[in-house]
Amino acid sequence: MNKVNPLLEAQDKRKPLSAKSCLQEQDPVEERAKESNPECAKTVTSEPSNIAVPEEAAVEPMVAEPYLPPLLPDEKKFSAKVLHVAEDGTIYVIQECLENELGVLMLDIQDSFKCLGLMAPYSWRKGEGCLIKGSDTLTYRGKVLDILSGDMITVKYADHGYTEKIPKCHLYPFVYNPHIPRFCIPCQLNDIVPVGDHWQQDAIQLLKELLLKRVVTVHIVEPANYSDGVASVRIYCGNASVSSILEQYDHGIPTGCEKNNVEINGITDIPYEKIWRIDFQELLQNGLETPLLPKYSLESLPRTGELFKVEVTHLQTPNLGFIRIKNESGKSQISGCGDGVTESLQSILEKINSERTELSHLTDFRTDMPCLAAYSDSLLHRGKLQSIKSYDPVTCVVEFVDYGATLVVDTSSLFQLPAVLIQYPAKAINVRLAGFKAPKEDFEIRRLQYCPEWSSKALIEMVDIVGGKTLSAACRAGSENAVFLYDDNQQLVHKPLITMGLADVDEI
């Protein structure tokens, strides 16, 4: 047989496991009336008059506030920790000096209610105090806000401010230590109003990211005028006003005609770098200053109809990629680039890699910024920034201008480009391989996600055909940066793809 927990029978002499006793219970308002004024009690308990009583009043009698209101400190300005930010913009804080007391209360609740037994049917009322079995298996003091359909109830965590919809089976009709005031203080910002008739979702999200679990300074402007009311306050993170931050992000409008800049700790409207103690002097040191360099110049293709040696350095699709021109001896043409240049690019890069520890890290992350970055061979090569990939940790997308490939590189592998290297043109030339195109129909299931008209197999086959080989190329007449590629037998390299049905002939 299931035993009823005796603690559940102690709440104001109620028997919550008996539905009958709940219906026969006397309203606490009526009890207080009898104690204070016997004549009034006679009126309350006398026979009903001819005045009609609304049905709602009979079904839901008034329920006294189960817990005392939170205590406000004597001083108007105090330190507090933010526990919760509600969707209506209400901010729930707890005095920093009361955090340990709340922890002690929570331990007492857990020790006293380790096993609550089974609940018999119980008729809940709005405003009634209760114990909540939270999703974290801990028990909390709470209050019923609304009775919903389907055995669901909206409750509020009395000491934390949270509001939640939970099943009735997770509630117990017992008010634990009603003489201990609620710990969380509901607050609303005094000197700002939301844009529109309510706080927007992005404003609430900003408040949560800015305030939750953070110790802030609370300045009480107007305390709550009733037990369950909201205090009007100003909140500061450090010395920065939360209202000013909301205004800066266009989430709110200052009250009054002028901005309400209230002094705190003797600090008013001053630059943010002084409020947050930001010092830019270290950023101006020689080692941290990235020289402003021009963009890379581009290598030009030979005249139309002229054969020249190339190697394919990177393929994006079977007919789009990067090539690099080779000289007659078969070596990459990466030596001189003009009058007065005697040292080759390759020799300079080799020297830089041998003295890698002397390089300065990149500090300017603007788009197309020239830099040195670690390639797949772990050596440093010339590159340029394309975009920021992530912020925690900071990683960047870098295009290696002498190969055409792009990689995601962390900031520890990014270095400032020595000025001597900017005079060499980018050796990788972006071209379209002429003579073939994606097939109208093939039976390959795996496709390139960024270019679904091509199959993955077609790209793999093309890489096998051209990878690591010295090929001959000729520019196509009438097309910009379009070239034909030939193998050692002067055959078009894309013919195997057409034979396998992975590409179609492009007759244009």
Side-chain angles (χ1 to χ4, degrees):
M1 180 180 294
N2 296 317
K3 296 182 178 181
V4 176
N5 194 308
L7 290 173
L8 297 179
E9 299 178 357
Q11 181 191 5
D12 300 330
K13 300 181 180 181
R14 296 181 64 184
K15 296 181 180 179
L17 299 182
S18 171
K20 183 176 180 180
S21 64
C22 293
L23 296 175
Q24 294 175 348
E25 179 189 13
Q26 193 171 24
D27 195 326
V29 175
E30 182 180 328
E31 292 180 358
R32 290 195 297 271
K34 286 183 178 181
E35 294 174 0
S36 60
N37 191 342
E39 294 299 327
C40 178
K42 292 180 182 179
T43 305
V44 173
T45 55
S46 60
E47 294 297 326
S49 62
N50 294 330
I51 300 176
V53 179
E55 184 179 354
E56 291 81 358
V59 175
E60 296 185 5
M62 293 180 61
V63 177
E65 184 67 30
Y67 304 103
L68 295 176
L71 295 177
L72 295 179
D74 296 333
E75 299 180 356
K76 287 190 175 182
K77 186 172 62 179
F78 62 95
S79 294
K81 186 176 183 179
V82 178
L83 297 177
H84 178 60
V85 178
E87 294 302 316
D88 62 355
T90 304
I91 301 170
Y92 292 86
V93 302
I94 179 175
Q95 295 183 59
E96 193 176 11
C97 60
L98 296 181
E99 281 192 86
N100 291 336
E101 294 187 25
L102 175 59
V104 171
L105 176 68
M106 289 296 296
L107 289 176
D108 291 343
I109 295 176
Q110 312 317 311
D111 292 339
S112 302
F113 298 93
K114 291 182 179 179
C115 182
L116 289 168
L118 297 178
M119 280 288 297
Y122 181 75
S123 178
W124 290 96
R125 295 179 296 176
K126 292 182 181 180
E128 188 173 2
C130 61
L131 289 176
I132 305 170
K133 200 70 172 179
S135 57
D136 55 0
T137 71
L138 297 179
T139 304
Y140 298 84
R141 298 198 302 175
K143 172 184 174 181
V144 176
L145 294 184
D146 197 9
I147 312 298
L148 307 176
S149 58
D151 289 335
M152 298 295 290
I153 292 181
T154 302
V155 295
K156 185 173 187 176
Y157 290 74
D159 300 307
H160 297 79
Y162 312 139
T163 300
E164 188 180 19
K165 296 178 183 179
I166 63 174
K168 292 181 180 179
C169 60
H170 290 175
L171 295 183
Y172 298 89
F174 185 82
V175 178
Y176 184 78
N177 284 352
H179 61 281
I180 297 180
R182 302 192 304 271
F183 281 89
C184 67
I185 305 173
C187 306
Q188 64 181 4
L189 296 174
N190 168 265
D191 50 356
I192 194 169
V193 293
V195 175
D197 56 352
H198 64 280
W199 291 107
Q200 303 299 320
Q201 187 61 40
D202 51 352
I204 298 299
Q205 187 63 31
L206 175 62
L207 285 174
K208 290 181 178 179
E209 293 178 2
L210 183 66
L211 299 177
L212 280 182
K213 307 303 180 184
R214 174 174 287 186
V215 176
V216 298
T217 301
V218 180
H219 187 121
I220 299 179
V221 178
E222 184 180 348
N225 53 11
Y226 56 96
S227 63
D228 203 24
V230 180
S232 182
V233 302
R234 298 186 182 100
I235 297 178
Y236 299 84
C237 293
N239 290 319
S241 169
V242 172
S243 299
S244 298
I245 296 174
L246 289 173
E247 178 192 352
Q248 182 181 359
Y249 284 91
D250 298 327
H251 292 313
I253 303 172
T255 55
C257 298
E258 298 180 357
K259 294 184 180 179
N260 196 358
N261 294 324
V262 177
E263 295 187 7
I264 178 169
N265 295 335
I267 297 179
T268 55
D269 190 11
I270 62 177
Y272 281 109
E273 57 266 23
K274 292 185 178 180
I275 293 177
W276 296 101
R277 297 177 182 177
I278 298 174
D279 186 5
F280 297 103
Q281 293 301 318
E282 294 184 358
L283 298 179
L284 301 178
Q285 295 178 5
N286 293 333
L288 295 177
E289 184 179 359
T290 299
L292 187 60
L293 299 174
K295 293 183 179 181
Y296 293 102
S297 58
L298 301 178
E299 190 85 20
S300 58
L301 290 171
R303 291 174 296 181
T304 302
E306 181 180 341
L307 280 178
F308 53 96
K309 298 293 184 180
V310 298
E311 65 174 341
V312 178
T313 59
H314 180 65
L315 282 178
Q316 297 168 323
T317 67
N319 66 343
L320 288 176
F322 290 82
I323 63 172
R324 189 161 59 187
I325 300 175
K326 290 195 167 188
N327 56 27
E328 294 299 328
S329 62
K331 295 183 179 180
S332 296
Q333 188 176 318
I334 56 173
S335 55
C337 64
D339 296 337
V341 179
T342 58
E343 195 172 9
S344 69
L345 172 63
Q346 188 64 32
S347 61
I348 297 176
L349 287 174
E350 290 175 358
K351 183 179 180 180
I352 288 174
N353 277 284
S354 64
E355 302 172 353
R356 191 166 178 171
T357 55
E358 299 179 5
L359 295 173
S360 300
H361 282 280
L362 190 69
T363 56
D364 191 337
F365 296 94
R366 70 186 71 187
T367 304
D368 290 334
M369 184 68 186
C371 63
L372 285 175
Y375 192 48
S376 56
D377 57 4
S378 299
L379 297 178
L380 295 180
H381 294 270
R382 296 192 304 166
K384 62 179 180 180
L385 291 182
Q386 297 282 36
S387 63
I388 304 296
K389 177 68 174 179
S390 63
Y391 293 94
D392 189 17
V394 179
T395 57
C396 304
V397 179
V398 177
E399 178 184 333
F400 292 86
V401 297
D402 297 319
Y403 299 93
T406 57
L407 290 179
V408 177
V409 181
D410 59 69
T411 53
S412 63
S413 299
L414 288 174
F415 300 90
Q416 296 179 18
L417 183 76
V420 67
L421 291 178
I422 199 66
Q423 60 185 323
Y424 295 91
K427 300 304 174 183
I429 307 173
N430 191 7
V431 297
R432 184 174 68 85
L433 305 183
F436 68 108
K437 60 183 179 180
K440 291 184 178 180
E441 183 179 4
D442 63 22
F443 300 98
E444 296 296 327
I445 297 177
R446 297 179 59 188
R447 319 298 297 183
L448 299 180
Q449 293 185 358
Y450 53 88
C451 190
E453 58 264 28
W454 286 104
S455 65
S456 299
K457 184 177 180 180
L459 180 60
I460 294 172
E461 291 291 339
M462 194 62 179
V463 171
D464 291 340
I465 292 172
V466 303
K469 298 177 182 178
T470 299
L471 305 171
S472 298
C475 294
R476 181 174 183 173
S479 299
E480 185 178 1
N481 281 20
V483 299
F484 292 98
L485 288 184
Y486 301 91
D487 58 18
D488 294 338
N489 299 321
Q490 299 302 310
Q491 299 293 320
L492 291 169
V493 297
H494 60 260
K495 281 189 175 181
L497 293 183
I498 297 174
T499 302
M500 289 184 287
L502 300 175
D504 290 344
V505 176
D506 186 6
E507 298 178 352
I508 299 178

